[in-house]
Amino acid sequence: MGMTTDVHVRELRYFATVAEELHFTRAAELLYVSQPALSKQIRALERQLGAELFHRGPRGVTLTEAGTALLPHARRMLADWTEGAAAVEAARAARRDTLVVGMSTSPGRGGLLPAIRSRFTAAHPEAVLQLRQMSWEDPTAGLADGTADVAYVWLPLPDADRYAWTVVAEEPRLVALPDSHPLAAREETDFADLAGEPFLALPPEAGVLRDFWLALDERRALDGPAARPPRVGAEISGTEETYEALVAGLGICLVATGNAPLITLGGVVTRPVRGLSPSRYALARRREDEGRALVRGYVEACRRVTDRA
């Protein structure tokens, strides 16, 4: 046998077609190849198998014993291959019709997600929407590694030029602190008065986003001791952890107005802060996916809903 592992699907298809037609010219027409090219391929297959597959006699073409033996196997392999190719196509179609929406904190914000979903599915009834909760270590909520097609993220994004985004909400950053904290007694506080406190920080992997929630830009603008780098009281990678760290007095943290309800459970309060830029919550996507129909459709649904809001 020797080299039979190198037989290609095309050669088996040529063989099976000649075996069914028992006529080289008709088989060549069905296969859209020239008759000499077909004969040459069949001869190459016979050489590889070390056996003649067809008698080419004056009364036409007939199968040899070897050809008769090969035919059911060739048919089965061709059928398997067709099924395999169909499975790949089905997987591609499913990928085409599925949109994965990443997020690191649930948007909440007055039923934003359900409103966008219903508008999107009305326009794309064939599409499957998958919402995926991502860890706080990934500030792109799945866009960077391809696990999400679109994502609700906080700006700024790392490698910002890779992405395009639509701002969904611009909200003041509040300070969250335990209700026993001296600053909790104030209606409102200046950022300068908070700067020296221990802060809860996102994981280092969050990069520019960690810096934003530690208000590094605002710190640089301060004078005196308040301008020092932040003291990190604890690292937080989820809402529950944040709440636990606040209650335990490990530090204070900044929070977007829309996310305040997630952590102002018993023992934690939020207060407005003067001298902080607002937070911006956005729907982002990779620039190379801007042309994908479902990505475009979801962004469009989001714009419609947020413009109306």
Short mmCIF file of all heavy atoms in Angstrom, two decimals, residues 99 120 124 150 283 285 289-303:
data_model
loop_
_atom_site.label_atom_id
_atom_site.label_comp_id
_atom_site.label_asym_id
_atom_site.label_seq_id
_atom_site.Cartn_x
_atom_site.Cartn_y
_atom_site.Cartn_z
N LEU A 99 -24.42 37.08 18.63
CA LEU A 99 -23.71 38.29 19.04
C LEU A 99 -23.46 38.17 20.53
O LEU A 99 -24.40 38.06 21.31
CB LEU A 99 -24.54 39.54 18.73
CG LEU A 99 -23.78 40.86 18.92
CD1 LEU A 99 -22.81 41.09 17.76
CD2 LEU A 99 -24.74 42.03 19.02
N PHE A 120 -33.24 45.43 18.96
CA PHE A 120 -32.29 44.67 18.14
C PHE A 120 -32.95 43.41 17.57
O PHE A 120 -32.84 43.12 16.38
CB PHE A 120 -31.07 44.30 18.98
CG PHE A 120 -30.11 43.36 18.29
CD1 PHE A 120 -29.25 43.83 17.31
CD2 PHE A 120 -30.05 42.02 18.64
CE1 PHE A 120 -28.35 42.96 16.68
CE2 PHE A 120 -29.16 41.15 18.02
CZ PHE A 120 -28.31 41.63 17.04
N HIS A 124 -33.43 42.02 13.88
CA HIS A 124 -32.63 40.83 13.53
C HIS A 124 -33.21 39.60 14.20
O HIS A 124 -32.60 39.04 15.12
CB HIS A 124 -31.17 41.02 13.96
CG HIS A 124 -30.50 42.16 13.28
ND1 HIS A 124 -29.86 42.04 12.07
CD2 HIS A 124 -30.37 43.46 13.64
CE1 HIS A 124 -29.38 43.23 11.70
NE2 HIS A 124 -29.67 44.09 12.64
N VAL A 150 -19.37 42.86 21.05
CA VAL A 150 -19.58 44.25 21.49
C VAL A 150 -19.52 44.19 23.02
O VAL A 150 -19.71 43.13 23.60
CB VAL A 150 -20.94 44.83 21.03
CG1 VAL A 150 -21.03 44.94 19.53
CG2 VAL A 150 -22.10 44.00 21.57
N LEU A 283 -20.77 51.68 24.83
CA LEU A 283 -20.86 50.42 24.10
C LEU A 283 -19.72 50.44 23.07
O LEU A 283 -19.69 51.32 22.21
CB LEU A 283 -22.21 50.30 23.39
CG LEU A 283 -22.33 49.05 22.51
CD1 LEU A 283 -22.41 47.79 23.37
CD2 LEU A 283 -23.54 49.14 21.59
N ARG A 285 -16.83 48.37 20.33
CA ARG A 285 -16.60 47.24 19.44
C ARG A 285 -15.23 47.42 18.79
O ARG A 285 -14.70 48.52 18.77
CB ARG A 285 -17.68 47.13 18.36
CG ARG A 285 -17.82 48.37 17.47
CD ARG A 285 -18.93 49.24 17.94
NE ARG A 285 -19.05 50.49 17.18
CZ ARG A 285 -19.49 51.62 17.69
NH1 ARG A 285 -19.82 51.69 18.98
NH2 ARG A 285 -19.62 52.69 16.96
N ASP A 289 -14.54 45.10 13.20
CA ASP A 289 -15.88 44.48 13.14
C ASP A 289 -16.98 45.49 12.82
O ASP A 289 -18.16 45.13 12.81
CB ASP A 289 -16.22 43.83 14.49
CG ASP A 289 -15.35 42.62 14.76
OD1 ASP A 289 -14.76 42.11 13.78
OD2 ASP A 289 -15.26 42.19 15.91
N GLU A 290 -16.60 46.74 12.56
CA GLU A 290 -17.61 47.77 12.32
C GLU A 290 -18.54 47.39 11.18
O GLU A 290 -19.68 47.81 11.15
CB GLU A 290 -16.92 49.11 11.99
CG GLU A 290 -16.23 49.72 13.19
CD GLU A 290 -17.00 50.89 13.78
OE1 GLU A 290 -18.02 50.65 14.45
OE2 GLU A 290 -16.58 52.02 13.54
N GLY A 291 -18.03 46.59 10.22
CA GLY A 291 -18.85 46.23 9.06
C GLY A 291 -19.79 45.06 9.32
O GLY A 291 -20.68 44.80 8.51
N ARG A 292 -19.59 44.31 10.42
CA ARG A 292 -20.45 43.13 10.66
C ARG A 292 -21.88 43.55 10.91
O ARG A 292 -22.16 44.42 11.74
CB ARG A 292 -19.93 42.33 11.86
CG ARG A 292 -18.81 41.36 11.52
CD ARG A 292 -18.43 40.51 12.71
NE ARG A 292 -19.52 39.71 13.21
CZ ARG A 292 -19.56 39.16 14.42
NH1 ARG A 292 -18.58 39.35 15.26
NH2 ARG A 292 -20.60 38.45 14.80
N ALA A 293 -22.81 42.90 10.21
CA ALA A 293 -24.21 43.32 10.24
C ALA A 293 -24.77 43.34 11.68
O ALA A 293 -25.44 44.30 12.06
CB ALA A 293 -25.05 42.41 9.36
N LEU A 294 -24.50 42.29 12.47
CA LEU A 294 -25.08 42.23 13.81
C LEU A 294 -24.46 43.27 14.74
O LEU A 294 -25.14 43.84 15.59
CB LEU A 294 -24.93 40.83 14.41
CG LEU A 294 -25.71 39.71 13.73
CD1 LEU A 294 -25.68 38.45 14.58
CD2 LEU A 294 -27.15 40.10 13.43
N VAL A 295 -23.16 43.51 14.56
CA VAL A 295 -22.50 44.54 15.38
C VAL A 295 -23.12 45.90 15.06
O VAL A 295 -23.53 46.65 15.95
CB VAL A 295 -20.96 44.55 15.12
CG1 VAL A 295 -20.32 45.76 15.77
CG2 VAL A 295 -20.34 43.26 15.64
N ARG A 296 -23.24 46.18 13.76
CA ARG A 296 -23.87 47.45 13.33
C ARG A 296 -25.28 47.56 13.87
O ARG A 296 -25.70 48.60 14.36
CB ARG A 296 -23.92 47.52 11.80
CG ARG A 296 -22.74 48.20 11.16
CD ARG A 296 -23.13 48.87 9.84
NE ARG A 296 -24.06 48.10 9.04
CZ ARG A 296 -23.68 47.22 8.12
NH1 ARG A 296 -22.41 46.99 7.89
NH2 ARG A 296 -24.59 46.54 7.44
N GLY A 297 -26.02 46.45 13.78
CA GLY A 297 -27.42 46.44 14.22
C GLY A 297 -27.55 46.71 15.72
O GLY A 297 -28.44 47.44 16.15
N TYR A 298 -26.64 46.14 16.51
CA TYR A 298 -26.73 46.32 17.96
C TYR A 298 -26.37 47.76 18.33
O TYR A 298 -27.02 48.37 19.18
CB TYR A 298 -25.82 45.32 18.69
CG TYR A 298 -26.12 45.26 20.18
CD1 TYR A 298 -27.12 44.43 20.67
CD2 TYR A 298 -25.42 46.06 21.09
CE1 TYR A 298 -27.41 44.39 22.04
CE2 TYR A 298 -25.71 46.03 22.44
CZ TYR A 298 -26.70 45.19 22.91
OH TYR A 298 -27.00 45.16 24.25
N VAL A 299 -25.34 48.28 17.68
CA VAL A 299 -24.93 49.67 17.94
C VAL A 299 -26.07 50.62 17.58
O VAL A 299 -26.38 51.56 18.33
CB VAL A 299 -23.65 50.02 17.14
CG1 VAL A 299 -23.36 51.51 17.20
CG2 VAL A 299 -22.46 49.20 17.66
N GLU A 300 -26.72 50.34 16.45
CA GLU A 300 -27.85 51.16 16.00
C GLU A 300 -28.98 51.12 17.04
O GLU A 300 -29.54 52.16 17.41
CB GLU A 300 -28.31 50.64 14.64
CG GLU A 300 -29.49 51.37 14.03
CD GLU A 300 -29.26 52.87 13.85
OE1 GLU A 300 -28.10 53.32 13.73
OE2 GLU A 300 -30.27 53.59 13.84
N ALA A 301 -29.31 49.92 17.52
CA ALA A 301 -30.37 49.77 18.53
C ALA A 301 -30.00 50.55 19.79
O ALA A 301 -30.84 51.22 20.40
CB ALA A 301 -30.58 48.29 18.85
N CYS A 302 -28.74 50.48 20.17
CA CYS A 302 -28.27 51.17 21.37
C CYS A 302 -28.40 52.69 21.18
O CYS A 302 -28.88 53.39 22.08
CB CYS A 302 -26.82 50.78 21.63
SG CYS A 302 -26.07 51.72 22.96
N ARG A 303 -28.01 53.18 20.01
CA ARG A 303 -28.10 54.63 19.75
C ARG A 303 -29.54 55.10 19.81
O ARG A 303 -29.84 56.14 20.39
CB ARG A 303 -27.53 54.95 18.37
CG ARG A 303 -26.01 54.90 18.37
CD ARG A 303 -25.45 55.66 17.15
NE ARG A 303 -23.99 55.63 17.23
CZ ARG A 303 -23.20 55.20 16.25
NH1 ARG A 303 -23.73 54.80 15.11
NH2 ARG A 303 -21.91 55.21 16.41
#
